[in-house]
Amino acid sequence: MPMTLGYWDIRGLPYLIDGPHKITQSNAILRYIARKHNLCGETEEEKIRVDILENQAMDVSNELARVCYSPDFEKLKGEYLEQLPGMMKLFSQFLGKQTWFVGEKITFVDFLAYDILDLHRIFEPKCLDAFPNLKDFVARFEVHQYSVPPGSGKVSVPLLRSGNVKLARIPYPLKISAAVELGWGCCWLPAPQGSRWRLQPGL
């Protein structure tokens, strides 16, 4: 029997119900949560950089997936490795001397950038060696991502997985936290208080 949310059949899709708002698709959920916490950039220039990096991360993710899931993986791997330094150079130039990719304040695209860089470290462990600012970014992000400030109301809990979404369920009155994964990694952001996350049966 179809499960619908608005116009969409949501079988197999992550979705979020937050009060009157009903949202499907990983990207839409991520942006919705990011907007609630002012993680989409503040100035027009920052918002432009967010949009650019979001789309660049998607392009790179799709290209890497094309190689990794291809039956011609061994052939395509060599070609991909040849262009990899140039790709990493573009990320390095975009980051520059900033703390985060958009400026001095973290935004949701830093999560996407981290996931792209981390996947490429798995693909080619030395790919960041020529780019100290990217290595510093990765190290800084890992400290930022996994640190839990005292009194923040956050706790470490096991993750549940549903399609492209990881959910961390924390009993009330603590906030529910969610990690929205865009097919290549996970982004930890606090979910709206009182929102409902659904796991599809059998996933």
Side-chain angles (χ1 to χ4, degrees):
M1 185 176 187
M3 297 176 62
T4 60
L5 190 63
Y7 296 102
W8 305 107
D9 184 340
I10 59 174
R11 289 174 297 181
L13 287 178
Y15 66 94
L16 168 68
I17 301 175
D18 180 28
H21 305 298
K22 301 176 180 179
I23 309 165
T24 61
Q25 296 292 353
S26 303
N27 287 350
I29 293 171
L30 176 61
R31 270 192 166 271
Y32 174 78
I33 296 174
R35 284 195 301 271
K36 276 183 167 282
H37 297 277
N38 194 27
L39 296 176
C40 295
E42 297 179 354
T43 68
E44 186 62 25
E45 181 62 27
E46 289 176 349
K47 292 174 182 178
I48 290 171
R49 289 180 66 84
V50 164
D51 291 343
I52 291 171
L53 185 56
E54 180 186 22
N55 285 275
Q56 180 66 18
M58 178 66 76
D59 289 347
V60 173
S61 174
N62 289 340
E63 184 63 18
L64 181 60
R66 183 186 70 83
V67 172
C68 292
Y69 287 98
S70 171
D72 295 324
F73 171 74
E74 292 301 330
K75 175 186 176 182
L76 295 177
K77 179 181 178 181
E79 297 173 357
Y80 193 84
L81 288 174
E82 289 180 5
Q83 66 172 352
L84 187 53
M87 182 192 302
M88 292 297 103
K89 182 178 180 180
L90 292 176
F91 278 96
S92 176
Q93 291 174 337
F94 196 84
L95 175 61
K97 297 181 179 180
Q98 300 178 127
T99 303
W100 306 108
F101 272 90
V102 171
E104 297 309 304
K105 179 182 177 182
I106 195 169
T107 62
F108 79 92
V109 291
D110 290 300
F111 294 85
L112 309 185
Y114 169 80
D115 289 327
I116 289 293
L117 298 177
D118 190 43
L119 279 179
H120 282 84
R121 285 193 302 175
I122 297 171
F123 192 81
E124 169 47 65
K126 297 181 179 180
C127 70
L128 301 184
D129 286 357
F131 307 102
N133 65 335
L134 294 183
K135 294 182 71 173
D136 290 345
F137 166 82
V138 167
R140 183 164 53 248
F141 184 90
E142 289 175 346
V143 171
H144 188 89
Q145 181 182 24
Y146 295 109
S147 61
V148 180
S152 66
K154 297 181 181 179
V155 295
S156 297
V157 293
L159 290 176
L160 303 173
R161 183 183 293 273
S162 174
N164 287 348
V165 172
K166 293 178 180 178
L167 303 179
R169 292 192 174 276
I170 303 175
Y172 287 110
L174 298 178
K175 289 184 177 180
I176 299 175
S177 292
V180 181
E181 184 178 3
L182 300 187
W184 56 77
C186 67
C187 307
W188 281 94
L189 297 171
Q193 184 69 35
S195 60
R196 289 181 287 158
W197 293 83
R198 299 300 192 203
L199 289 175
Q200 297 297 326
L203 293 179

